[in-house]
Amino acid sequence: MMKRLAKDSFRIFPLIQAELYAASDKIAQTSDQQAAQNLLSLANQPFNHAERLFGWQLNAKGQVGHLLMQHRQAIAAELAGQWERADFFWNQVQIEFKAIAGAQLWQQIATEIAASKFEIMSDPQQVQQRLVDEIMIDTHCAFYNGWQQTEQLQDRAFAHIEYIEHWLPWSSINESAQALLEQPWKMQIQQCLEIQHWQQAIGICKRRLKHCPDVLEYQAELAAVHYSATMARLKSARSDAQYLRNAEKIQRGIKTLEALLKTYPCNLGIFELLGDLFHLKAIALGNGGRVAEALVSVQTAISYNPRQAAFYSTSETLIEQMQAMQTRFQTLCAEMAGQSNVSLNAAGVRLQAEVRQGFQPMNDYCNSSAAKTTAFAFSIAQAVQVWQMIGLPNPPNGWKLEIDRPPDHENEDLSQFAKGWNQLALQLWKALMVVLHQSPPNQNILTETWDSIVLREPALGGLNSKLIQQFLAARLWGEESNRVIVSPIPEGDAPILQPIASKRRRSIEPFLPWLCSRQDQRIKLQAIAASLAVIVAGGVIVREQGVNAVRDMAYQQILSAYQQQNDQQVIQQAEQFFDHASLSGKDARNQKVIDIYSESLVRWIAQQEKPDQTLQQRLDRYRTRMNTNKGDESP
């Protein structure tokens, strides 16, 4: 069950139920609760048809009423199992609310539904926020709880989690979203992992981090999903080529996690997963015969996680493998020394290339700044994890990597090379190790020991000593901390809306409301463009059909008049033929018409007694048509 953790001791709006917008006959209501009921009643305004469809030119009450009307219709559709219809209205509620969120409109609403004496509903910000928390978010909580009771419809339950996420920016619980959505997020991710829907799981992890960016566990779980996706792509290998293909797939996974580590540079879980991937890559490369590269990979794994004993064991195996290759190559060279016409085969060439590289690439990496920086960053991530285990607050802007340079030797004080919160976390880590090494026998001595450390390290004095000592006590004597991170939610108080239909019913978005809404604007523009294209194409086809009919008739009459030596008729029909040109401009009859037209025009001019205006006009029209058709060749 899921229930919003309300900061206030009582609700203002009515409890979520199927008849939420029905007239209330309760008389035992506070003034604020009565005002909230009045606000909900705005959904029942008598909107005309245009106002219902478009929601244009509405006053403040009308706009809020139109918003709540959409919410009422969404509840009805969801209860009936009409998901497509419900989704349209859920999205429409968010679109309309976003358009009026934070606007002067809420001041008008507060003034009209509540007097200044009201404690809550006279405050426009409270009106807006209470509406989001107690109506919008609680409605989706209720449907989540209802759908969860229908096991085969868990996906529909999870759809309401996404709707809640969309409301968080306007909610008072935005900063405590983890408490509300922790369990649903975890269940949804687990479901995706079980069916290996990696991209969907990654999307959920990213959405979760959008609302809770500083939770190290969420950061590490995103990396873990990428890790699992990489492992799922690996195939069983027997040949060198198959091992090397697996190494390439692992490398792609490494690149993904390295990019993630740049975003979350102090997350120990990502360091450990990268160490595992580099270790697996080293094994694949070693089995594929590329031992020199495998040695670099395993040393990189150790830099990312020096606490993993298996990495050192693999390193020793690879070192022995390289030494054996060097010995084998020396033996091969000795055997070939006394033979003049013998050369290395392909396997010998590969062996020679590996031996020439030898241990040099590994040594270069171990002495590099990259290796030292990675190892130093691991130490910081380790300290940050302990910091969070204690329960100390995170930096205001999250954990960043703040270092001057990596230390040159392992026994140096690491905190001297870090800055800001990194330095403080390392100082705390060092102090904890001192206390655990001294192992105070009881609480009094533990307190004295910690106080003496704070005197030497004043920067630690600003930290919560009670939490630190509770953590140390648990490590020293196994005492459980009484710190509660998230209060349990009693299931009996959780809102539930049980759908009437236990199965999905066929439905579509309401066409006219969808057409008049601001949803799917791209689809609508594409539809309009397609419709215009069809109309234009239809007009072109109709025009071409008419033009072709006129040209066909004119052509037949030109041939008939030419046979009868009726030059004037030929000229008139030729002008008609060329005046109705096809859009393509191509017609196999053009040249023949030009020849007949020219011949008939010459004879007609010769028959005229004297030039007049008609003759000049015919000549001008002839020149115009010839210029237009100049160079037009029959296909």
Side-chain angles (χ1 to χ4, degrees):
M1 291 292 181
M2 183 170 64
K3 179 180 182 295
R4 180 177 51 84
L5 296 176
K7 295 181 180 179
D8 301 275
S9 59
F10 65 95
R11 291 178 63 89
I12 301 300
F13 285 93
L15 295 173
I16 300 300
Q17 53 187 320
E19 296 80 19
L20 177 64
Y21 288 96
S24 175
D25 56 358
K26 294 182 179 180
I27 58 176
Q29 293 180 321
T30 66
S31 298
D32 281 309
Q33 289 173 332
Q34 184 60 56
Q37 186 68 54
N38 293 340
L39 180 61
L40 288 184
S41 68
L42 296 178
N44 302 317
Q45 295 179 65
F47 296 108
N48 61 41
H49 193 62
E51 290 172 338
R52 291 176 69 88
L53 285 178
F54 297 100
W56 291 347
Q57 297 181 341
L58 295 174
N59 58 20
K61 284 187 175 181
Q63 292 181 63
V64 175
H66 195 271
L67 167 76
L68 296 175
M69 179 189 70
Q70 309 278 355
H71 187 258
R72 184 187 65 197
Q73 291 176 296
I75 291 176
E78 189 78 29
L79 288 171
Q82 297 174 328
W83 299 358
E84 290 80 5
R85 181 179 177 86
D87 285 335
F88 167 79
F89 286 118
W90 293 131
N91 290 324
Q92 194 62 21
V93 170
Q94 292 179 354
I95 290 171
E96 292 191 18
F97 181 86
K98 186 176 181 180
I100 61 176
Q104 186 65 26
L105 170 145
W106 293 101
Q107 180 64 59
Q108 295 177 249
I109 291 294
T111 302
E112 294 185 24
I113 67 172
S116 58
K117 63 180 181 180
F118 284 52
E119 181 180 352
I120 296 173
M121 296 301 285
S122 59
D123 181 350
Q125 183 176 358
Q126 283 277 2
V127 173
Q128 175 179 302
Q129 200 167 76
R130 288 284 188 141
L131 180 66
V132 170
D133 290 346
E134 299 182 12
I135 297 298
M136 304 306 173
I137 289 182
D138 280 1
T139 297
H140 291 296
C141 287
F143 274 118
Y144 173 84
N145 295 331
W147 283 117
Q148 275 294 97
Q149 296 181 1
T150 310
E151 294 182 0
Q152 69 271 26
L153 293 176
Q154 278 197 354
D155 285 345
R156 186 58 188 172
F158 292 140
H160 289 278
I161 300 303
E162 290 193 51
Y163 285 126
I164 291 174
E165 291 176 26
H166 293 156
W167 283 110
L168 290 179
W170 298 286
S171 170
S172 64
I173 66 168
N174 189 28
E175 295 181 358
S176 59
Q178 182 182 0
L180 176 66
L181 300 174
E182 170 86 26
Q183 192 61 28
W185 276 333
K186 185 174 294 186
M187 289 175 59
Q188 193 174 9
I189 293 170
Q190 184 60 39
Q191 184 185 74
C192 293
L193 295 180
E194 288 174 358
I195 57 179
Q196 297 191 356
H197 285 183
W198 309 116
Q199 291 306 314
Q200 187 178 355
I202 289 169
I204 298 166
C205 289
K206 288 181 176 179
R207 286 196 342 248
R208 183 170 63 172
L209 282 169
K210 180 180 178 182
H211 301 291
C212 307
D214 298 328
V215 179
L216 300 184
E217 179 186 352
Y218 292 172
Q219 299 168 6
E221 192 160 7
L222 173 58
V225 174
H226 281 295
Y227 175 90
S228 298
T230 298
M231 296 301 295
R233 288 192 286 268
L234 302 183
K235 304 295 183 182
S236 178
R238 293 183 179 179
S239 66
D240 289 358
Q242 290 172 335
Y243 280 117
L244 294 179
R245 279 197 293 270
N246 277 344
E248 291 174 359
K249 294 175 183 178
I250 295 170
Q251 180 58 32
R252 288 197 290 270
I254 287 172
K255 286 185 177 180
T256 300
L257 291 195
E258 286 178 333
L260 201 59
L261 189 61
K262 289 181 179 179
T263 304
Y264 308 113
C266 299
N267 192 294
L268 185 64
I270 302 177
F271 275 88
E272 292 173 342
L273 291 172
L274 273 168
D276 287 345
L277 285 181
F278 273 107
H279 179 240
L280 291 172
K281 180 184 174 183
I283 294 173
L285 289 170
N287 288 333
R290 287 161 57 174
V291 182
E293 190 176 347
L295 285 167
V296 175
S297 188
V298 75
Q299 290 301 321
T300 307
I302 292 172
S303 297
Y304 274 107
N305 186 7
R307 301 185 303 186
Q308 184 57 263
F311 298 174
Y312 296 96
S313 177
T314 299
S315 177
E316 292 175 2
T317 300
L318 289 170
I319 289 173
E320 292 173 359
Q321 187 176 349
M322 175 58 76
Q323 290 171 340
M325 292 174 72
Q326 290 174 332
T327 301
R328 187 163 69 251
F329 185 71
Q330 290 173 357
T331 301
L332 181 62
C333 290
E335 293 174 352
M336 294 174 58
Q339 304 179 31
S340 58
N341 295 325
V342 177
S343 61
L344 294 173
N345 58 18
V349 171
R350 289 196 297 270
L351 177 63
Q352 182 184 44
E354 286 297 315
V355 169
R356 283 180 175 176
Q357 292 185 82
F359 296 103
Q360 191 60 45
M362 180 189 73
N363 293 332
D364 289 344
Y365 172 78
C366 291
N367 295 323
S368 69
S369 174
K372 295 175 182 177
T373 300
T374 300
F376 187 29
F378 169 85
S379 298
I380 294 172
Q382 189 172 237
V384 167
Q385 185 188 50
V386 172
W387 179 290
Q388 191 167 72
M389 289 171 62
I390 293 171
L392 297 172
N394 288 324
N397 297 320
W399 289 99
K400 309 296 181 185
L401 192 61
E402 303 173 283
I403 62 175
D404 285 324
R405 63 176 181 85
D408 294 321
H409 306 288
E410 294 181 0
N411 57 356
E412 292 185 273
D413 183 1
L414 299 181
S415 64
Q416 300 302 314
F417 298 89
K419 299 183 293 185
W421 290 86
N422 287 181
Q423 185 180 52
L424 190 59
L426 288 170
Q427 288 175 334
L428 176 61
W429 167 268
K430 180 181 176 182
L432 294 173
M433 294 302 103
V434 170
V435 175
L436 292 173
H437 179 71
Q438 293 181 5
S439 187
N442 56 55
Q443 182 62 51
N444 290 333
I445 297 179
L446 171 61
T447 301
E448 292 175 1
T449 302
W450 182 253
D451 289 343
S452 65
I453 288 176
V454 171
L455 287 175
R456 296 195 302 271
E457 299 285 350
L460 300 177
L463 303 179
N464 189 322
S465 63
K466 182 179 179 180
L467 290 178
I468 294 171
Q469 290 183 48
Q470 285 177 347
F471 174 82
L472 288 168
R475 294 298 181 276
L476 289 167
W477 314 306
E479 295 182 4
E480 294 293 334
S481 171
N482 58 5
R483 181 173 58 89
V484 178
I485 299 176
V486 178
S487 300
I489 305 171
E491 293 189 359
D493 294 338
I496 300 177
L497 276 177
Q498 183 69 52
I500 300 170
S502 59
K503 295 182 178 180
R504 179 176 187 169
R505 291 185 174 180
R506 185 176 300 174
S507 69
I508 60 173
E509 297 93 342
F511 180 71
L512 282 178
W514 173 81
L515 190 63
C516 300
S517 73
R518 285 177 286 178
Q519 294 190 46
D520 302 322
Q521 291 185 348
R522 182 177 179 180
I523 294 175
K524 293 173 186 175
L525 289 173
Q526 289 174 341
I528 292 172
S531 300
L532 289 175
V534 170
I535 292 171
V536 171
V540 169
I541 291 172
V542 171
R543 178 194 179 279
E544 286 294 284
Q545 289 176 343
V547 165
N548 290 336
V550 172
R551 287 171 71 88
D552 291 343
M553 179 65 71
Y555 183 71
Q556 294 301 325
Q557 291 183 8
I558 289 170
L559 295 179
S560 177
Y562 180 68
Q563 290 176 353
Q564 299 171 10
Q565 296 293 307
N566 187 344
D567 295 327
Q568 186 169 359
Q569 179 71 7
V570 169
I571 294 170
Q572 290 174 350
Q573 293 304 316
E575 291 175 351
Q576 184 79 346
F577 181 88
F578 287 118
D579 284 346
H580 291 79
S582 171
L583 289 177
S584 66
K586 298 293 184 181
D587 191 326
R589 302 168 296 185
N590 281 3
Q591 190 59 47
K592 186 171 183 179
V593 172
I594 290 173
D595 293 342
I596 296 174
Y597 182 19
S598 301
E599 181 182 338
S600 296
L601 181 63
V602 170
R603 279 201 303 268
W604 181 81
I605 292 174
Q607 295 169 4
Q608 304 305 307
E609 297 180 357
K610 59 179 180 178
D612 59 7
Q613 186 176 2
T614 302
L615 186 148
Q616 187 62 43
Q617 290 175 348
R618 285 195 182 279
L619 286 173
D620 290 342
R621 287 198 294 270
Y622 173 79
R623 293 190 186 98
T624 301
R625 288 163 178 75
M626 293 304 100
N627 288 333
T628 302
N629 291 274
K630 185 177 181 180
D632 184 24
E633 299 177 356
S634 299

